[in-house]
Amino acid sequence: MSKKHPPNNEHIDSNMIKMEVNLDDISGEWLGYVMDRLFEAGANDVFYTPIYMKKNRPGILLQLLCSNGKMEKMKDILLKETTTLGIRYYPLTVHRMERRFIKVETPWGTITVKQGVDKDGEVFQSSPEYEDCKKIAENHGIPLKQVYEAVWSRL
Amino acid sequence: MSKKHPPNNEHIDSNMIKMEVNLDDISGEWLGYVMDRLFEAGANDVFYTPIYMKKNRPGILLQLLCSNGKMEKMKDILLKETTTLGIRYYPLTVHRMERRFIKVETPWGTITVKQGVDKDGEVFQSSPEYEDCKKIAENHGIPLKQVYEAVWSRL
Amino acid sequence: MSKKHPPNNEHIDSNMIKMEVNLDDISGEWLGYVMDRLFEAGANDVFYTPIYMKKNRPGILLQLLCSNGKMEKMKDILLKETTTLGIRYYPLTVHRMERRFIKVETPWGTITVKQGVDKDGEVFQSSPEYEDCKKIAENHGIPLKQVYEAVWSRL
Amino acid sequence: MSKKHPPNNEHIDSNMIKMEVNLDDISGEWLGYVMDRLFEAGANDVFYTPIYMKKNRPGILLQLLCSNGKMEKMKDILLKETTTLGIRYYPLTVHRMERRFIKVETPWGTITVKQGVDKDGEVFQSSPEYEDCKKIAENHGIPLKQVYEAVWSRL
Amino acid sequence: MSKKHPPNNEHIDSNMIKMEVNLDDISGEWLGYVMDRLFEAGANDVFYTPIYMKKNRPGILLQLLCSNGKMEKMKDILLKETTTLGIRYYPLTVHRMERRFIKVETPWGTITVKQGVDKDGEVFQSSPEYEDCKKIAENHGIPLKQVYEAVWSRL
Amino acid sequence: MSKKHPPNNEHIDSNMIKMEVNLDDISGEWLGYVMDRLFEAGANDVFYTPIYMKKNRPGILLQLLCSNGKMEKMKDILLKETTTLGIRYYPLTVHRMERRFIKVETPWGTITVKQGVDKDGEVFQSSPEYEDCKKIAENHGIPLKQVYEAVWSRL
């Protein structure tokens, strides 16, 4: 498996897997912790879904996305940090649009904005970077919402 | 507080409370167990909602409905069987419609149907009893769905 | 109970109730329908929460907010359109901020924006009206996102 | 990939994919809109799951099912109408049972009922068409439930 | 497809599938029932996720894991006991760690503990068997939590 | 309203309220942020529930618990940091069990354990402090689970 480059501005990554674990014998406290460990170890994404399991148990479906090469590392964390003895996975393909980053000046400082550009060169997506906005909101004691709105009005 | 009887076929019960506990340090296994204990001790209803708690923790909101007189008993179970040290509650009023029970004959046996009757004497609700239907489905090796449909077609 | 007007731009409504019903014997199809009926009859809000009920049943908690005067009408719909024979409720207080509406011109037409103004006269909230944006997006074949962004950049 | 016809009354469609997107920077308003767009463009199904994402964010997992041939169209809508720059997908197989439609007369008009027939020719599934039932309920001012019950009692 | 044995203490099972059904026209009562039927018929796991479907319908995503050889049996139950006419599935791989069982003595009797052992022979997982703990809790009238804690303190 | 002290080891706090907001026009990113702000400002608890709102919108029910005296502060944050113009609340009573803290020595350092003691002086609850365990797990590169287990085996 390898990364193919379509003519334009889109990457097709066929090298990804989704790993899944069902958990009904672990607390939320531990789950908050394990998510951080998996991200640190290079997971592309980690997320939880509430599920209904047998014997009236509210459980959690842990899903994570990573490249094939990270699988052993992820498995290792899942076994050590959760209560599972079985992990399932399947391959998937990811289409990723080319992204570029621009800087936007606000009254309180510069904020990076991530943009998606389509095959005709048009911007179809503009997302102010959360960590930039958060830092400004906290440092200046203003609502986060106001920071985002300031960026949007300058795009 | 007491039960008032409106002229017709409706009871207003002002004697009820809802108790609530947020849980992020307990497993689904234990939660499946504690639900049964609370019902056995006389809770009118017990149900769980998935919630998002601090520090990225998937948690559970346990809610239960019971009469004021049952509060101490419920609290006792919650403290012993869950991981909480704090329980909150508030009063609520319950309107309950008069219900009556009829018998419906099916090819596999009799099934009780719970009916709600409105103030003009009209049936607005007919629910085959689950445990009756389940027993017949299991004993005769037929789908539960088929048992319900047999009841509905005879109402 | 009555509506009190605090000095500024905030209404305190003590005339509201929340009604709740737990449902485990009704399909999603019917629930989609009953939500519309309740809104039509004047509910201030109606929303569903997934809940875990006894006997391994995924259920739905229906909650609705309405004024005291609407309670009988709501109860009537709940009894006729759902499968419940019991409805619970409790009073609550609602703080509502004064809202005003402004018009914003976009390349494709005018869009109403709802604004919240705080006690110092400052706008702390600006929400383009969804139905306006939707109509423009559909009529001009442009993404809804683009319509909102056009409004935000003009605020 | 092609459609194979097993001897009886079941189609096996190996031509389907599931597309998935994780979203934590989009509002519910927009998500309600994008579901309609995806169905209009020919998705077989679209549904949302609440998920727990990093940094304490409640997010949504958008999943859609479509044939391979629809993938580009779906991707286009997802990029334009949501905030994502990455879309993942994987193939799946769908078994679809042969369905037939019968007409049932009720006091208020005719209702179509979709039926599933198994390999021995037996009906194992009967679903009154929602839109038919809804129209009758609205036109005659009767509960939707009553319309369904009238159909069931005539099957 | 077959089971491969890696050198150590891990099984890789490439013989598994996940089956999925979206349901918006079935009650929670029936879903509680069908989960039991699927487990009885040999499903490795069955679980429900709340999903948002079209037309404002709260629905359920039923997922089940089983070996390829069980697929027809599962399909049969899904068609008979739910309201679906279409079932989708895809293959997945399951890594299962070698597990061993030890006995732990408590003041109230013996409890089996399931352990996971890693490739260096170290125990990384110890789970008291729920049914053992439950039985002791019920027979001796002590909290389930206390039984687990007694086991943990003896490991 | 005031705090009453029952004879034993339980506090009844009648001075608490629950505030609630329904949100369908805000992103998960902002919601992750606002939770932190509310905790910093003194909320006793803040949690999110996924809800199904009108027009097919996945929404979030924000709930927070605070003392009466904190209400204005919380309202201020909700108005500034979310998209709501209306906030509802109702009083509730909280029973809090007396808690005491003990120290437990592990091979990697001391960990605080919170204990609940019932009216007969018996410990019915023992929770290792998460932040203590987390710090040790991170500093020593061992699984969080192993730290908890070390504490439990010493209780």
Side-chain angles (χ1 to χ4, degrees), chain D residues 10 18 35 39 45 47-50 65 90-97 99 116 124-125 130-131, chain E residues 20 22 25 49-55 57 61 71 75 79 82-90:
Chain D
E10 187 184 342
K18 193 201 273 185
M35 187 186 273
F39 272 114
D45 211 347
F47 53 101
Y48 298 142
T49 310
L65 304 168
Y90 44 97
L92 43 77
T93 306
V94 180
H95 283 230
R96 289 197 193 89
M97 299 307 287
R99 48 205 78 188
F124 63 90
Q125 202 81 264
Y130 171 75
E131 292 296 340
Chain E
E20 294 186 359
N22 286 14
D25 55 353
T49 310
I51 55 174
Y52 298 71
M53 296 179 73
K54 66 180 173 187
K55 302 183 188 178
R57 295 175 184 166
L61 168 60
M71 193 168 79
K75 215 171 62 177
L79 292 174
T82 77
T83 49
T84 196
L85 291 175
I87 299 168
R88 57 188 189 267
Y89 66 89
Y90 45 97

Side-chain angles (χ1 to χ4, degrees), chain D residues 101-150:
Chain D
F101 296 87
I102 63 167
K103 300 286 180 186
V104 169
E105 298 301 320
T106 73
W108 317 282
T110 307
I111 284 171
T112 303
V113 172
K114 185 167 66 179
Q115 293 192 315
V117 187
D118 71 15
K119 52 182 180 284
D120 306 320
E122 228 164 311
V123 173
F124 63 90
Q125 202 81 264
S126 292
S127 305
E129 289 285 84
Y130 171 75
E131 292 296 340
D132 284 6
C133 296
K134 182 187 170 192
K135 198 172 299 173
I136 279 181
E138 289 177 344
N139 289 348
H140 292 77
I142 48 176
L144 182 68
K145 190 169 63 181
Q146 198 177 332
V147 180
Y148 273 80
E149 285 167 354

Side-chain angles (χ1 to χ4, degrees), chain C residues 16-36:
Chain C
M16 299 291 290
I17 57 166
K18 193 202 275 183
M19 303 181 81
E20 293 185 359
V21 178
N22 286 13
L23 294 159
D24 67 1
D25 55 353
I26 187 172
S27 73
E29 271 186 350
W30 293 13
L31 286 168
Y33 182 86
V34 76
M35 187 187 272
D36 288 343

Side-chain angles (χ1 to χ4, degrees), chain A residues 32-85:
Chain A
Y33 181 85
V34 77
M35 186 187 273
D36 288 343
R37 293 295 79 75
L38 293 166
F39 271 115
E40 278 172 24
N44 292 55
D45 211 347
V46 185
F47 53 102
Y48 298 142
T49 309
I51 54 174
Y52 299 72
M53 295 178 73
K54 67 180 173 187
K55 301 183 188 178
N56 244 346
R57 296 175 184 166
I60 287 291
L61 168 60
L62 179 158
Q63 293 178 79
L64 73 82
L65 303 168
C66 69
S67 61
N68 260 317
K70 294 275 184 188
M71 194 168 80
E72 282 305 312
K73 182 73 191 137
M74 295 297 146
K75 215 172 62 177
D76 191 50
I77 295 174
L78 290 173
L79 293 174
K80 281 198 184 126
E81 299 285 357
T82 77
T83 48
T84 196
L85 291 175

